[in-house]
Amino acid sequence: MCEAFKNNYQLCEEIGRGKFGTISRCFHPISGSFFACKTIDKRPLTDPTDRECLENEPKIMTLLSPHPNIVKILDVFENDDSLSMVMELCEPFTLYDKIVQRTFSDGEAASLMKQLLEALSHCHKLGVVHRDVKPENLLFDGRNNLKVADFGSAVWLPEGRCIGGVVGTPYYIAPEVLMGREYNEKVDVWSAGVILYIMLAGVPPFYGESAAEIFEAVLRGNLRFPTRIFRTVSPEAKDLLRKMICRDVSKRFSADQALRHPWIQNGGESAEE
């Protein structure tokens, strides 16, 4: 831990873990406020790609701040051995914690998806691809606003360019990533579509008993809406899902296009309502 951090903050209990580091609560005596501190031990990170992500994360978060649906970064402390990022403190539960308890109505899901798409649209306009959009990385502030967190896998993508590298989490990873192709920011839209499907259905669209089986299901991309599960879900919601979870990247919606979809615009209400 950097001495400069210790001079400004008091480290409290651990509250979570990210891809590269631990997240703890910390206290700022001058303001009397609590924040979250992500601390990364740089010494085990020998892979150049991991080192690059480590260096990029605070820069990317600073570029993206402030945005109402992205976790705000406040301070960065670094020495030869560690990196500490002080961020706003969110609630101790994630969207994943909510999803495992129940399914969501069209209105609830549309409200949350709009916030996620607003954040992704902001990222993409600034050339940032998150690459690991999943419920565990979606937090909430004290007013229950959704906040995108953990930019440890994020990269800058120059306009009109593509990137490579298999990054992501099995259920949410886009097929073009698994196929080893170059890809663009629409991988985040695929992941967001999978999250929307799970919010409405309570199950993922592509399932397997192992990571390999999940990957096979994602590559097949056979999107189905079982009547038993989707009987209360509107046709408009299904239409948006088809356009977000679309294997053909050229036809897949961008975050901006998804935001303009009638289901999002109408807060999850169907045309009949």
Side-chain angles (χ1 to χ4, degrees), residues 12 15 76 81 84 86 130 170 179 200 230 233:
C12 306
I15 54 175
V76 180
D81 296 332
S84 297
V86 178
H130 188 285
M179 294 167 77
L200 293 168
F230 277 86
V233 177

Side-chain angles (χ1 to χ4, degrees), residues 184-198:
N184 60 22
E185 72 282 351
K186 285 188 178 181
V187 297
D188 289 343
V189 177
W190 174 283
S191 301
V194 173
I195 291 171
L196 176 56
Y197 187 104
I198 295 172

